[in-house]
């Protein structure tokens, strides 16, 4: 049994302690917005916020989360920065297929929390998630628009 805080709610889950957070979110809690991509923390499709920091949930064991706050894409619009980013994503029509975009939005939220007015180099350094459709320029534009809207 593990107890974790997800999107502001304390949740008790009956899983092994080494179960990756990704599978707890998707399979146990039914929060399917966080996507499986590669399983080795390379692509970023599974990115969530843990205490405000972007983390690849496919490699985070659930037993490492005691006393920490997990935020998923399902709650990102309740976050002021997340809401601005979602609005920018929609206004600029950022996604193509959309599969990686929940992870992209989570990474962008962490970036703007740490660096409210990022330079191009900051965006490039923080946005390491992969996008098969190549929407990187639009993702950067969305981040710039959300930063300007602050």
């Amino acid at each position: 049994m593990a107890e974790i805080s997800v999107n502001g709610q304390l949740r008790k889950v009956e899983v092994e302690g080494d179960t990756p957070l990704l599978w707890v979110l998707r399979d146990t809690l039914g929060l399917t917005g966080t996507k499986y991509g590669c399983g080795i923390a390379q692509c970023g499709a599974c990115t969530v916020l843990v205490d405000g920091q972007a983390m690849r949930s496919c490699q985070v064991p659930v037993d490492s989360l005691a006393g920490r706050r997990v935020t998923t894409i399902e709650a990102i619009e309740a976050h002021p920065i997340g809401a601005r980013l979602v609005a920018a994503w929609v206004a600029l029509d950022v996604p193509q297929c959309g599969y990686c975009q929940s992870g992209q939005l989570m990474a962008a939220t962490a970036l703007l929390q740490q660096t409210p007015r990022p330079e191009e180099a900051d965006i490039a350094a923080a946005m390491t998630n992969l996008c098969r459709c190549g929407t990187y320029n639009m993702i950067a534009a969305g981040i710039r628009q959300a930063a300007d809207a602050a």
Side-chain angles (χ1 to χ4, degrees), residues 11-141:
R11 308 289 298 264
K12 291 182 181 185
V13 292
E14 188 84 29
V15 296
E16 296 293 323
D18 62 349
T19 304
L21 174 60
L22 172 64
W23 302 118
V24 173
L25 294 172
R26 291 183 60 79
D27 295 345
T28 306
L29 299 178
L31 299 172
T32 58
T34 304
K35 303 300 183 198
Y36 172 81
C38 66
I40 57 172
Q42 296 299 303
C43 73
C46 68
T47 303
V48 298
L49 301 181
V50 177
D51 293 335
Q53 300 294 313
M55 292 190 139
R56 310 274 167 100
S57 64
C58 70
Q59 294 295 306
V60 176
V62 73
D63 66 0
S64 71
L65 297 168
R68 302 181 79 187
R69 294 172 294 113
V70 176
T71 305
T72 69
I73 192 67
E74 286 85 359
I76 203 62
E77 284 188 275
H79 190 290
I81 293 170
R84 287 198 319 268
L85 283 162
V86 169
W89 252 238
V90 171
L92 296 172
D93 201 21
V94 170
Q96 284 186 29
C97 83
Y99 193 83
C100 71
Q101 295 302 310
S102 61
Q104 301 285 359
L105 281 162
M106 300 309 286
T109 300
L111 167 62
L112 291 182
Q113 284 182 130
Q114 295 172 354
T115 310
R117 298 276 182 213
E119 302 289 328
E120 292 304 312
D122 298 320
I123 295 171
M127 298 305 295
T128 60
N129 294 18
L130 299 179
C131 174
R132 289 182 177 177
C133 301
T135 64
Y136 302 110
N137 292 334
M138 294 307 294
I139 290 167

